[in-house]
Amino acid sequence: MRETLAILFLLFAALSLEAAEFRGRIIDADTEQPLAARIYLQSESGEWLFVNSAETEGSALPYREQWVPQPDSVELHTTVSAHPFKIDLPAGNYSLTIERGKEYTPLQAELTIGDKPVEKTYRLKRWIDLAARGWYSGETHVHRRIVELPNVMRAEDLNVAFPVTFWTVSGAKAPDQEPSPLRRQGPSPFGPREDRGTEPIYLDASHVIVPRNTEYEIFSLGQDRHVLGAIFLLNHRSKFTATAPPIAEIAKQAHAEGALLDLDKHSWPWSMMLVPVAKVDLFELSNNSVWKTRFGFKRSQVPPAEWMNIEYESPEVFTEWGWLNFGWEVYYALLNCGFDLAPTAGTASGVHPVPLGYSRVYVRPGKQFNLSDWLAGLRDGKSFVTTGPMLFATVNGKHPGERFTFEKQSEQDFQLQIEALGEKPISSVEILVNGQVVESIVPKPDRTTSGAWRASFSSKVSLGDSGWIAVRSFEEQPDGRKRFAHTAPWYVAMANRPRTPRREQVEYFIDLMHAEIARNRPVLSQEALAEFEQALHIYQKIRERTP
């Protein structure tokens, strides 16, 4: 009898744990058209689950990449094509979150599974349409394989992506397509990186992969660990066979091929040498240390200056806000020195726990998307960078990237029109002149018909010498973190006078170059060391014109 009861109990337990199929589809709440999206599914016990496509022509890609383990920073999701998805689930309660890029309001739902199949339709609401305004998004630091991107770019509604095709992490090795030795989980499930040539790969009329890009990320020189840092060559023609350092001739060749050079991070030891020597084009205002999940990389090999007033969690350990400000203060100082760096954004999705395009740059090529115009707009700073909110501003009726030239030096007034929007209310908007906040506005936003929070206002600033203007906005999150948007600069040139940094700004760069020359002298070739000495000389010449 006892044996019979035990068997019946086991049978009942097995039946109760049988999975039922959950099937879902995602549509646009207004058009009812099917949407690709990113899905987070978690059981009541905390287990992360990955859905599958319910149709053979559909696709579903699980994302688990985290090359540097950080248990407190978790990013586990599935990007699904615009087809129904499915998963078999044991009876129980589940939480579901669906997101799509930056322009749709995230959807959160609770899901209860019993012993019968469950089928649901989820409607994502668009809170803003950037393409309708003539703005298109991109990301310049992408480690996803090209084979992944048709699925992921559509799920994130990212218009332009620059996947790393060739990569090296050694100063003794030219970039290639081999698996990176940095990956700790073994080979990528999507295979090696591919070289698809130089022609853009269009997914549709406004979503395109720029397929040939190279990263020099120097962690060692031969067998010896010696960190210099990273730089990206974007949209070049030939395969680069030179090792770095030195870098100047590589940069010269890349520029000759029409490529853009992206600095990656401000905190690498060689970054401030690269700006004047390699003639870098792009600066990542939001870089691969900025994640949707908990902020992880909290230290820098290059210390900030005291005048930057950086926020720390503990000695030498940044808060997320401190990290962002560190990068911005470096960017402002470089602009003041006369380096016309356009802002961009990168995540290193494919390496770090972050969705593709979590940080992105919006470029305004015009009402119709055109890749050549978009690339030119990226280079010229016709753009803004965002981790969430949207920011539209004009100075004297002109969009970011405009250059105002005056033959004589005189006080000039500039009229600003600003429209700041967010999926959550905008907490503040700041106007910058030469990196200094000259006005901080706490807006009183109104709710739009699409559910966005919108604040619109005008302001005026004055400049009496060559300089630049920019605008940034912030959106407070329930957990106390901030999402931001930041425009590219508007430049003002008077009487052919160069922009002048504060003395402490240029002396910060000079001190960095002295430190790097001393650190690198025992290990770098004379040709490579000369590039740091060249950068030092350039900064010293800039100092000569500072008060």
Side-chain angles (χ1 to χ4, degrees):
M1 183 66 177
R2 289 181 179 177
E3 291 180 359
T4 302
L5 289 173
I7 292 170
L8 289 173
F9 176 79
L10 290 173
L11 287 171
F12 177 79
L15 289 171
S16 67
L17 290 174
E18 279 188 6
E21 184 182 77
F22 164 53
R23 182 182 290 248
R25 69 187 186 109
I26 305 165
I27 63 172
D28 185 290
D30 297 317
T31 67
E32 297 199 348
Q33 293 299 306
L35 290 176
R38 174 177 9 104
I39 296 176
Y40 301 86
L41 181 61
Q42 192 173 27
S43 70
E44 202 168 23
S45 64
E47 180 185 5
W48 292 97
L49 305 165
F50 302 93
V51 302
N52 302 298
S53 181
E55 297 186 2
T56 54
E57 61 267 35
S59 61
L61 300 185
Y63 188 76
R64 305 179 178 90
E65 294 290 348
Q66 186 161 359
W67 292 19
V68 181
Q70 296 188 27
D72 292 335
S73 300
V74 176
E75 180 63 43
L76 300 170
H77 64 255
T78 312
T79 47
V80 297
S81 59
H83 300 84
F85 61 88
K86 66 179 182 178
I87 185 174
D88 292 336
L89 296 172
N93 297 316
Y94 300 84
S95 62
L96 178 73
T97 300
I98 302 175
E99 300 186 9
R100 174 179 164 83
K102 297 297 184 187
E103 302 175 32
Y104 283 80
T105 301
L107 185 152
Q108 295 181 325
E110 298 300 317
L111 177 67
T112 299
I113 300 295
D115 58 356
K116 292 183 173 59
V118 174
E119 188 167 348
K120 289 184 177 291
T121 296
Y122 297 97
R123 290 173 166 80
L124 286 186
K125 178 70 175 177
R126 180 188 282 279
W127 66 268
I128 194 167
D129 189 343
L130 270 289
R133 293 172 174 247
W135 294 86
Y136 295 88
S137 61
E139 199 214 304
T140 55
H141 185 174
V142 177
H143 280 292
R144 307 299 288 264
R145 299 294 192 262
I146 289 178
V147 71
E148 298 175 76
L149 289 175
N151 167 288
V152 184
M153 288 176 66
R154 290 186 175 105
E156 301 295 352
D157 195 19
L158 186 74
N159 297 106
V160 185
F162 298 80
V164 171
T165 312
F166 303 99
W167 191 7
T168 182
V169 295
S170 171
K173 192 169 183 288
D176 59 30
Q177 296 164 249
E178 294 177 8
S180 171
L182 303 177
R183 193 173 196 275
R184 301 185 182 188
Q185 302 103 314
S188 167
F190 300 101
R193 291 182 295 274
E194 298 177 77
D195 179 20
R196 298 274 192 96
T198 60
E199 289 302 308
I201 302 170
Y202 281 87
L203 310 182
D204 55 43
S206 61
H207 293 83
V208 57
I209 302 167
V210 179
R212 183 172 283 181
N213 312 285
T214 292
E215 179 177 9
Y216 283 89
E217 186 174 20
I218 308 306
F219 287 108
S220 65
L221 302 173
Q223 299 298 314
D224 299 323
R225 182 173 176 82
H226 187 80
V227 177
L228 291 175
I231 187 171
F232 298 96
L233 319 180
L234 305 177
N235 193 30
H236 54 87
R237 305 292 94 188
S238 62
K239 300 177 184 179
F240 282 76
T241 58
T243 60
I247 195 70
E249 287 303 313
I250 293 171
K252 184 178 179 180
Q253 179 186 341
H255 277 140
E257 296 181 7
L260 295 173
L261 270 62
D262 180 2
L263 187 64
D264 182 29
K265 283 195 290 289
H266 58 282
S267 58
W268 289 118
W270 72 349
S271 290
M272 295 307 103
M273 176 276 288
L274 293 175
V275 172
V277 171
K279 297 179 174 57
V280 169
D281 303 288
L282 306 175
F283 185 104
E284 293 186 11
L285 283 184
S286 189
N287 54 48
N288 66 349
S289 293
V290 180
W291 302 339
K292 179 178 182 291
T293 186
R294 187 186 299 270
F295 177 58
F297 290 118
K298 302 181 179 183
R299 296 178 183 271
S300 169
Q301 292 195 322
V302 174
E306 287 188 15
W307 53 263
M308 295 179 182
N309 296 316
I310 300 305
E311 182 180 88
Y312 289 93
E313 183 179 293
S314 60
E316 299 184 359
V317 179
F318 296 110
T319 64
E320 182 177 46
W321 183 238
W323 171 256
L324 285 168
N325 272 283
F326 180 22
W328 295 348
E329 290 292 344
V330 171
Y331 179 59
Y332 303 156
L334 289 168
L335 291 177
N336 288 344
C337 285
F339 301 108
D340 293 354
L341 298 164
T344 187
T347 63
S349 182
V351 170
H352 292 313
V354 59
L356 181 72
Y358 173 72
S359 303
R360 60 183 65 190
V361 58
Y362 278 94
V363 177
R364 188 177 184 275
K367 287 293 183 181
Q368 298 296 321
F369 177 82
N370 176 283
L371 180 61
S372 296
D373 292 343
W374 191 94
L375 290 169
L378 177 66
R379 179 197 63 215
D380 295 338
K382 297 178 179 179
S383 59
F384 70 89
V385 168
T386 182
T387 58
M390 302 299 170
L391 182 58
F392 309 103
T394 61
V395 173
N396 290 356
K398 303 297 184 180
H399 292 282
E402 186 71 19
R403 295 173 183 271
F404 301 99
T405 303
F406 302 91
E407 292 184 1
K408 296 180 180 180
Q409 183 182 357
S410 61
E411 193 78 10
Q412 298 288 336
D413 293 335
F414 297 89
Q415 300 292 330
L416 284 79
Q417 293 292 331
I418 299 171
E419 183 184 19
L421 298 103
E423 182 245 322
K424 294 181 172 62
I426 299 298
S427 58
S428 65
V429 177
E430 295 177 342
I431 299 171
L432 305 167
V433 173
N434 300 337
Q436 299 289 321
V437 177
V438 297
E439 186 174 4
S440 183
I441 302 107
V442 178
K444 296 180 179 179
D446 297 322
R447 205 78 186 266
T448 68
T449 56
S450 62
W453 293 93
R454 177 180 178 272
S456 181
F457 51 89
S458 60
S459 188
K460 182 178 76 172
V461 299
S462 299
L463 273 77
D465 204 346
S466 298
W468 57 273
I469 303 165
V471 183
R472 62 191 190 190
S473 66
F474 304 100
E475 181 189 86
E476 301 279 353
Q477 300 301 293
D479 61 1
R481 298 170 72 190
K482 297 179 184 180
R483 299 197 299 181
F484 75 89
H486 197 306
T487 69
W490 292 259
Y491 294 105
V492 177
M494 293 188 182
N496 292 318
R497 287 168 55 85
R499 296 191 295 273
T500 302
R502 302 196 311 271
R503 195 169 184 87
E504 61 190 1
Q505 291 178 319
V506 68
E507 286 185 345
Y508 174 67
F509 298 141
I510 288 171
D511 290 343
L512 288 180
M513 291 305 96
H514 278 303
E516 281 304 295
I517 289 169
R519 185 179 78 97
N520 289 307
R521 192 179 300 279
V523 293
L524 291 188
S525 68
Q526 186 54 49
E527 185 181 7
L529 191 67
E531 294 184 334
F532 287 89
E533 293 167 342
Q534 178 187 355
L536 172 62
H537 178 71
I538 292 170
Y539 289 123
Q540 288 172 331
K541 294 294 289 184
I542 293 170
R543 183 173 60 181
E544 291 177 4
R545 66 173 188 258
T546 62

